[in-house]
Amino acid sequence: MRALVVYESSFGNTGMVAEAVWRGLADHVEDAALRRVDVAPTSLPPSLQLLVVGGPTQAFGMSRPSTRQDAQAKAGLPTTCPTTGVREWLHQLEPPNRPVYSATFDTRIHSPHVPGSAAVGAWRLLNKGGFELTAEAESFWVEGLKGPLRDGELDRAYTWGVSLSGLLLGAVRR
Ligand SMILES: Cc1cc2nc3c(=O)[nH]c(=O)nc-3n(C[C@H](O)[C@H](O)[C@H](O)COP(=O)(O)O)c2cc1C
């Protein structure tokens, strides 16, 4: 595995963005993988060169158990199941012992009245954890709490994935 996209999603929108980012990467880089955060490894494979992490912005930042529970209730799902989010996963993630590129994204509501970004929070944790942050934290926009994504956001996510693949080209050209 050379590139890994890890994502969290309560209503599916961030999952769709993650898949588009992954497609952009996988179309240009061999061995790109996509994993939901609850099944993502916390010990990164030695071959990994790029880690991309994305999640929904909830309560002005990365989700917490309480905000995920709130989201589950809004989605009509049982709120008793334990959940893992990007925040918890990043805290468990083993620091790299070599340079690993990293980038973060989130989904959030496009409004000047709703501040905060999960991607910025994840960016800070990765930076503190010794990863090489290569891009500014990126946001993709949803129309409302449950989505949908704004028109064109999946294309933008794909293009962002392609641009991230450029970091690895040269070493990993198909
Ligand atoms: C509990 C909760 C809190 C939220 N707080 C914010 C927020 O502070 N800022 C924001 O832009 N969107 C907020 N949202 C909207 C989420 O960003 C939106 O649900 C998410 O982008 C959808 O992605 P998903 O389908 O992958 O869960 C919140 C949603 C929930 C459920």
Side-chain angles (χ1 to χ4, degrees), residues 99-139:
V100 176
Y101 292 129
S102 186
T104 63
F105 69 93
D106 63 20
T107 55
R108 58 192 174 113
I109 295 168
H110 194 271
S111 161
H113 309 296
V114 189
S117 155
V120 169
W123 194 101
R124 289 192 185 125
L125 282 186
L126 283 164
N127 196 25
K128 227 161 62 178
F131 288 82
E132 308 257 323
L133 272 301
T134 56
E136 291 301 311
E138 186 64 59
S139 288

Side-chain angles (χ1 to χ4, degrees), residues 9-14 57-60 70-71 107-109 114 145:
S9 186
S10 290
F11 303 106
N13 300 281
T14 319
T57 298
Q58 293 184 350
F60 317 118
D70 195 359
T107 55
R108 58 192 174 113
I109 295 168
V114 189
L145 201 86

Side-chain angles (χ1 to χ4, degrees), residues 1-4 41-49 97-98 100:
M1 191 192 294
R2 292 240 163 89
L4 172 63
T42 51
S43 174
L44 297 174
S47 55
L48 197 80
Q49 294 176 307
N97 55 11
R98 64 196 187 285
V100 176

Side-chain angles (χ1 to χ4, degrees), residues 45-64:
S47 55
L48 197 80
Q49 294 176 307
L50 171 66
L51 174 67
V52 184
V53 180
T57 298
Q58 293 184 350
F60 317 118
M62 288 180 284
S63 76
R64 297 177 180 278

Side-chain angles (χ1 to χ4, degrees), residues 141-172:
W141 307 111
V142 291
E143 298 283 3
L145 201 86
K146 295 184 186 175
L149 287 160
R150 281 192 160 188
D151 284 350
E153 289 302 78
L154 290 180
D155 289 342
R156 199 161 69 79
Y158 176 87
T159 305
W160 192 63
V162 173
S163 76
L164 292 175
S165 77
L167 296 164
L168 306 186
L169 293 179
V172 198

